[in-house]
Amino acid sequence: MAKKATIKDVARVAGVSISTVSRVLNNSANVESALKERVQEAVKETKYTPNEIARSLKRKNSAMIAYVVSNTADPFFTFISRGIEEVMYRNGYNIINCSTNFSVERECSLLNTLYERRVDGIIINTVGNNDAEISKISQNIPTVLSNRMVSSSDFVGDFVDFDNVGGVIKLTNHLLELGHRRIAFLNGPIRLSTAKERQDGFLEGMRNAGLEIPKDYKYLINTEDTFSMQDGYDAARKIMTMDQPPTAIIASNTEMALGAMKYCRKHNISIPGEVSLCSFGNIAHQELMYVDITHTYTDLLVLGNRIGEMMLQRIAKDGASQPNREVRFDTPLVLGDSTKAI
């Protein structure tokens, strides 16, 4: 393998000092155009590649923003990432997408690695149970929380999400107006703020209709660790095989809605003939589905744009000195053909 060219090799080929090469590579204005051209030609000739980590340590910035999520394959995070990148790229920053694979330990390890690499900012959709670590890092690196809160007074940063409570109330009210009373709610781990808030919305919607939900309500399913399609499938199997199955299902995210729909399709359970189904959040490529799911609309690109804007503001104003902020986006109800009156 050929030896990798160094900055000394570039200086030798260009016939200039190492400091001149360094100034050219860092776009300094204090270099004559003729010298700059010689250095640039020498870079091409030697095929020199700068060590970006070393350069970032000298500049005290990396021009990199990390987006840490539980599953980069989930379209929910993909669309948010696109929204973030639209804003950050225009302002000279690149995005690193990192997946924790729903692991608390992996998330903690990733955060520490990103801290050591001196990224300029961290955007995180936490899997939970890392509040202390996230709060500690937020005091040193600009941090924005995406969709999931951190319960710590030591956290320094911003939080961006949708109106989880209001969105699920809309779904619940819609089903109640159609005459449904045996309504199932398929939810994620209750330790996560999104799951807690969406469940609160369901309970509030039912209470507003005079229906008190007991703690052992058999149609309320909380998963252990994830909001996955498999979780939705398993939860649908559990409730639809009961002696008295629900007449309607609310899935607290799109992946669980897809899992429930998959179970019903596989077992010839008609939607909405035998069970109505609705989802918090719009499903990607909904037009290709055999049924149009009633849902609350979540504009993921707009949410991602706002996250990017808030990150830029926090970087520009020295994040630690800026007060914490919270932004919530409305979630209007979009009617499909997956629900019907009974």
Side-chain angles (χ1 to χ4, degrees):
M1 181 182 291
K3 183 181 177 183
K4 186 176 180 180
T6 67
I7 194 170
K8 290 182 180 179
D9 296 325
V10 176
R12 175 178 52 77
V13 172
V16 298
S17 67
I18 291 175
S19 61
T20 298
V21 175
S22 180
R23 289 201 300 276
V24 172
L25 294 176
N26 287 292
N27 296 315
S28 173
N30 301 319
V31 183
E32 294 178 5
S33 59
L35 283 178
K36 185 177 291 187
E37 288 180 13
R38 281 165 54 187
V39 171
Q40 290 170 342
E41 286 299 320
V43 168
K44 292 179 182 178
E45 184 179 334
T46 59
K47 298 180 180 179
Y48 172 71
T49 303
N51 184 327
E52 287 301 326
I53 293 176
R55 291 178 71 192
S56 69
L57 290 174
K58 290 181 180 180
R59 293 195 310 263
K60 295 186 178 180
N61 72 75
S62 64
M64 302 297 291
I65 303 297
Y67 181 38
V68 182
V69 302
S70 55
N71 178 16
T72 52
D74 188 334
F76 179 86
F77 299 121
T78 303
F79 281 107
I80 293 176
S81 179
R82 279 178 54 192
I84 296 169
E85 193 168 17
E86 283 178 358
V87 173
M88 303 308 298
Y89 186 74
R90 287 198 303 266
N91 289 274
Y93 291 90
N94 291 307
I95 301 295
I96 310 171
N97 289 299
C98 308
S99 178
T100 62
N101 197 28
F102 306 102
S103 166
V104 174
E105 293 75 19
R106 185 166 172 175
E107 179 178 281
C108 188
S109 176
L110 262 174
L111 289 171
N112 281 291
T113 298
L114 293 167
Y115 178 74
E116 291 168 2
R117 294 296 179 92
R118 304 202 185 185
V119 295
D120 291 328
I122 294 177
I123 299 163
I124 181 168
N125 178 270
T126 180
V127 298
N129 295 338
N130 273 325
D131 290 6
E133 195 66 31
I134 293 170
S135 297
K136 178 182 175 183
I137 288 174
S138 73
Q139 295 169 19
N140 297 283
I141 295 178
T143 303
V144 178
L145 302 175
S146 170
N147 307 97
R148 292 174 186 169
M149 285 184 170
V150 165
S151 299
S152 171
S153 58
D154 294 327
F155 174 74
V156 178
D158 302 318
F159 172 73
V160 185
D161 197 5
F162 297 105
D163 178 9
N164 293 304
V165 174
V168 176
I169 287 176
K170 291 172 187 174
L171 295 173
T172 307
N173 287 344
H174 169 65
L175 293 173
L176 290 168
E177 289 168 2
L178 292 176
H180 296 277
R181 293 298 181 267
R182 291 201 312 276
I183 303 173
F185 188 65
L186 312 188
N187 198 20
I190 199 64
R191 71 173 187 276
L192 299 177
S193 63
T194 42
K196 174 67 167 58
E197 290 174 3
R198 291 172 195 176
Q199 184 165 307
D200 287 345
F202 173 66
L203 297 176
E204 183 175 338
M206 296 293 274
R207 279 197 301 268
N208 289 342
L211 301 171
E212 285 296 330
I213 302 299
K215 288 185 178 180
D216 60 349
Y217 185 63
K218 64 181 180 178
Y219 303 122
L220 174 58
I221 308 294
N222 286 105
T223 63
E224 291 294 325
D225 298 305
T226 67
F227 275 95
S228 71
M229 190 184 302
Q230 186 62 50
D231 289 324
Y233 184 94
D234 293 341
R237 177 175 57 199
K238 181 175 181 179
I239 59 174
M240 296 309 295
T241 54
M242 290 178 177
D243 291 338
Q244 194 175 39
T247 61
I249 297 171
I250 298 174
S252 70
N253 80 342
T254 56
E255 288 293 293
M256 295 189 77
L258 287 171
M261 189 166 70
K262 180 180 178 181
Y263 177 84
C264 291
R265 181 72 165 176
K266 186 174 180 179
H267 293 84
N268 298 314
I269 299 171
S270 171
I271 299 173
E274 295 174 72
V275 64
S276 290
L277 174 66
C278 51
S279 167
F280 185 96
N282 32 293
I283 296 173
H285 308 299
Q286 173 71 78
E287 67 277 9
L288 302 178
M289 305 294 177
Y290 74 94
V291 61
D292 184 10
I293 302 295
T294 292
H295 61 276
T296 52
Y297 180 69
T298 50
D299 196 327
L300 303 179
L301 290 176
V302 168
L303 182 123
N305 287 164
R306 181 60 64 86
I307 289 172
E309 291 163 1
M310 295 179 81
M311 175 57 75
L312 286 173
Q313 293 164 4
R314 193 156 284 278
I315 291 172
K317 296 183 179 179
D318 182 14
S321 65
Q322 187 167 318
N324 291 10
R325 299 171 295 176
E326 179 177 325
V327 172
R328 298 270 187 172
F329 287 93
D330 188 29
T331 53
L333 183 66
V334 179
L335 297 179
D337 58 14
S338 64
T339 58
K340 74 165 192 174
I342 59 170

